[in-house]
Amino acid sequence: MSKTKRLLAGPYLLWMIAFIIIPLVMIAIYGFTDKTGAFTWENVIAMVRPEHLKALWLSLKLAFLCTLVCLLLAYPLALILKAGGVKKGSFVVMIFILPMWMNFLLRTYAWLNLLDDGGILCTLLENLGIARFSIVGTNTAIVLGMVYNFLPFMVLPLYNVMCKIDDNVINAAKDLGANGFQVFWRVILPLSFPGIVSGITMVFVPSMTTFVISDLLGARKIMLIGNIIEQEFSTAANWNLGSGLSMVLMIFILISMAALNHYDKTGEGTSF
Amino acid sequence: MKVKKFLSQIYMTLIFIFMYAPIVTLIVFSFNENKGRRWSGFSLKWYQEMFESEMIMSALWNTIIIAFISATAATLLGVIACIGINSLKGKARNAYLAINNIPMLNSELVTGLAMMLLFIAFGISFGYTTIIVAHTTFCIPYVVLSVLPKLRQTDQRVYEAALDLGAKPIYAFFKVVLPDLLPGIVSGYLLAFTMSLDDFIITHFTKGAGINTLSTLIYSEVRKGIKPSMNALSTIMFFSVLLLLGIGTYGPKWKAKLRKNEK
């Protein structure tokens, strides 16, 4: 019986090999060859060119900042949701699922209306007598756009892991004389760790590789590594270079995530 | 205690405002008389233009069809896979879970590019098929992650009891196991549908010329300024989903109330 059951994973395995593993092999093939098809390290080494390195460093910086802000915003929210409002479930849906039904490009673009010179926030600040300024085209705007888009991916795993923490454990800690801070530091924080790890993964990866948010809110002045790779494929049409760069980026992300997952002792995804 | 509750409320409200500020702006500007960032009077003309625009309507149709097919395919493949994975142990199981994690760890950018290269290498022409295959692929992991935990919680002995009582395995699965899995399947399906609907990056690389989803249509309009008719469409979609959610949440309660009143 168990054998036939095992066969049921077969179609999935075939699908994933065909559309996940083989495409990655394709990236490697393109990345390690030049336009004539000869083997080369050139495309991979291209990452250390100053303009690429600069973009990689900037992406890393902004992604790190975005992940940190998301964590700092989402953690208290998850704690509040655990402590229990009546409508916590629907609140999560409201901030996570519902906005996704308005296209994400459109939502990000709408920030322009708020932030741009002559936009709503600017006019408001101006009327309040604070200097007139616009943050569109700055790193701040991009981080704001990233936090806006990826915050739900931090809230959800944290919320799920918090819900699993047994109230009895917290009460036991309190009975044994722990104060509020100790309960948080010694009980809640360690137990929520898997949620933190998957939250960080789900925010860091897309913010590290985005090219759309920097396109929309960066006024095309700011080049992230995602923009560079996308341009190699779309306008520059140097697929080999693009593949080489994405391979380096992929390995870079996998290493940092593996290091992070090292701390997630259960090793079970907690995101959903 | 009251202060704490008050602060919690304020915090939740602030997060809510942050998430909804652009959405409200979007909705407000869908009623704007002129295209632009300043309010110039109320008008419904963008709604009319939206319904008249063939481009928008076909992009909407594509988006929904693609989301529907991909989410359905991903759910079928994912649920069947979960049963298989759940019967595995140790290394084999971990290998499957690792494969499942690749699309989530491997940014959408790399996934999209890799698929594009695959389709080109095998001479598959871009269009509906390529988008659907790509969407199904990135949706499957979400389904697996929603269903697998539910499957682990189900009691194996109930299924075995059904077999002992003479049920065929398939019958026992549909009668005993599936009802327990249903919440996981539904949330996996909805998640997959939503992710597919909102996806831009993977569609961007796998669509080819001549076919647009809402995301790619909007992206192509960014340079010349997005028309408010897009806002109009989003507004309608937003309120439709809100309505559906409302019916889903409060519908059963109203029904119960009505029944009570009848008695």
Side-chain angles (χ1 to χ4, degrees), chain A residues 55-113:
Chain A
L56 184 70
W57 176 240
L58 183 64
S59 305
L60 189 65
K61 228 168 49 179
L62 298 188
F64 181 76
L65 205 60
C66 161
T67 313
L68 189 69
V69 173
C70 281
L71 186 61
L72 291 178
L73 284 177
Y75 207 89
L77 187 67
L79 281 175
I80 291 171
L81 291 172
K82 178 181 172 50
V86 203
K87 293 170 190 159
K88 55 183 176 180
S90 53
F91 184 80
V92 170
V93 171
M94 283 293 273
I95 66 162
F96 181 62
I97 301 287
L98 205 49
M100 278 193 166
W101 281 72
M102 297 202 112
N103 193 278
F104 111 90
L105 291 163
L106 220 48
R107 276 181 287 138
T108 311
Y109 193 76
W111 274 107
L112 278 179
N113 277 332

Side-chain angles (χ1 to χ4, degrees), chain A residues 12 73 94 106 116 215 268, chain B residues 11 20 37 100 152 219:
Chain A
Y12 165 83
L73 284 177
M94 283 293 273
L106 220 48
D116 211 1
D215 241 18
E268 300 257 326
Chain B
Y11 192 73
Y20 275 80
R37 300 213 178 112
N100 198 52
R152 209 173 303 153
Y219 189 70

